Amino acid sequence: MQTSKRIQTSSLTIATLFCVVCPIIGYLKIGLPPVIIVGGSAVLALFFWYFTYLKNPTEPNVILPLFILTVAGLQIHIIEEYLSGFGPAMSRLFNIPWSERSFLMIFALVGPTIYTLTILGLYKRVPLAGFIAWFIFIGPGVAEFTHFIFPVLQPAIEPTNINSISQQIKGTQIDNMHNYYYKVTGRYYFAGMYTAILPMVPGIYAIYRLTKKHKPIK
């Protein structure tokens, strides 16, 4: 069933605001990396969503399993990120104030709430739910490959110190910042790297499947 013009316009407006406001908030609260990763994923999601789901929402029996599998993989991945200190490790890598509390609030509490509501929205073919789904397919689905790049990047804070450190960054106390720099540790690993592929596989497949399925409305 095709989405009405009024709902298309309002949904597009809200999604566009998301693509602008969230990266700005991320930049002000944390720094540039969220703008590049989150903002870039959001813009790509907006593009794919506009040409697929917005005008003619995908059938729930097609998109829902793909979304649920991607989110399930993402949640397992977040467990590894938490246990290995992803937020503080990113803080040390890029000199940004990303505390463990902030990480848990966003990815362990707010995120699952949004995913649950998105599942209901996809079932009801709500256009904005499709945008969130595309954002998850492209963000965790594709952007998780950055985990395999981070080990070769020199940390901005004490790159040659192999020990975990704690200090204030831009007025925020960040504790237990691990150093995963390969040249120092001799181990090719970064927080969350082992399970990064779990949301990538269903996410990338979802992009392929939904793009292939799309047929322009005449």
Side-chain angles (χ1 to χ4, degrees), residues 72-86:
L74 175 61
Q75 291 305 109
I76 296 173
H77 171 57
I78 287 172
I79 293 173
E80 185 195 354
E81 287 188 326
Y82 168 69
L83 293 175
S84 53
F86 179 77

Side-chain angles (χ1 to χ4, degrees), residues 13 40 48 78 88 91 101 120-121 130 144 147 156 200:
T13 301
F48 281 98
I78 287 172
S91 296
R101 182 177 182 273
L120 177 61
E144 293 294 349
H147 282 72
M200 288 178 67

Side-chain angles (χ1 to χ4, degrees), residues 5 25 57 59 69 77 80 111 121 138 140 168 180-181 192 201 209:
K5 292 293 184 181
I25 293 175
E59 298 91 335
L69 286 173
H77 171 57
E80 185 195 354
I138 292 174
Q168 282 201 349
Y180 289 111
Y181 188 29
V201 172
R209 174 80 185 277

